[in-house]
Amino acid sequence: MQKDAWYFQKNIAKNYESYYQQKYKRADRSEKTLLKKLLDNLGETKSLLEVGCGTCHFTRWFESYGLDCVGLDLSDMMLKEAKKVWTKGTLLQGESCFMPFKNKSFDVVAFIACMVYMPDPIKVICEASRVARKGIIFGLINKWSLPTLRRMIQVKMGKNPYYKNANFYSILDMKRMLK
């Protein structure tokens, strides 16, 4: 765990939700369209755990489809901001490698763009498999996409603190880990 990571910084956590209304508005719409298709493919779904929920932007969106949602995040700063916008939801601070839930507690476990920050992705996947009844949704930041290549160059130049502790994966990398 890196306490200097961006998601532990109060000023960033405080403004994080605004990214979805500004810079990432178009990407947000596309991601939600895809997430809805993934949910539909899983059949009837009643409960969802979002790991790495941050300010619960996607957790709240999943809830708008009638799902009973829980958010789990490592960052107390992000969860503090989440509680301001999602007052009725269940939020827990915890590690993705040691989820504080019984086996098969949720229909779905979702990771939206947070796998890059998981120090032991195989442990995280095993733990998600333990907790999920129907499936796991991974929203990946593909290491071979042009925006990700730009981010990696920025990190090497010391210009992008959001990804300095990130490990990007390709779809093939994820398939290998899932095996």
Side-chain angles (χ1 to χ4, degrees), residues 138-175:
F138 294 105
L140 294 178
I141 300 174
N142 184 351
K143 79 176 179 183
W144 299 120
S145 71
L146 290 177
T148 302
L149 293 172
R150 184 188 78 241
R151 289 174 183 131
M152 289 190 282
I153 292 168
Q154 290 170 336
V155 167
K156 290 203 183 300
M157 296 171 65
K159 295 186 177 190
N160 194 331
Y162 295 100
Y163 298 101
K164 75 177 186 178
N165 65 330
N167 295 302
F168 296 103
Y169 305 104
S170 69
I171 293 171
L172 289 175
D173 293 335
M174 283 304 293
K175 284 181 178 181

Side-chain angles (χ1 to χ4, degrees), residues 82-100:
K83 288 175 185 174
K84 291 178 184 177
V85 292
W86 197 40
T87 56
K88 63 182 177 177
T90 302
L91 297 169
L92 297 169
Q93 184 178 13
E95 297 259 353
S96 55
C97 291
F98 307 102
M99 296 181 200

Side-chain angles (χ1 to χ4, degrees), residues 80-146:
K80 185 184 272 186
E81 292 303 314
K83 288 175 185 174
K84 291 178 184 177
V85 292
W86 197 40
T87 56
K88 63 182 177 177
T90 302
L91 297 169
L92 297 169
Q93 184 178 13
E95 297 259 353
S96 55
C97 291
F98 307 102
M99 296 181 200
F101 305 105
K102 294 178 183 175
N103 293 351
K104 309 301 178 203
S105 295
F106 299 91
D107 288 332
V108 177
V109 176
F111 298 87
I112 312 302
C114 65
M115 284 301 287
V116 297
Y117 301 110
M118 305 295 169
D120 191 341
I122 297 199
K123 235 185 207 181
V124 171
I125 292 167
C126 289
E127 188 67 354
S129 296
R130 180 186 68 78
V131 173
R133 283 188 289 268
K134 290 184 155 205
I136 304 169
I137 294 174
F138 294 105
L140 294 178
I141 300 174
N142 184 351
K143 79 176 179 183
W144 299 120
S145 71
L146 290 177

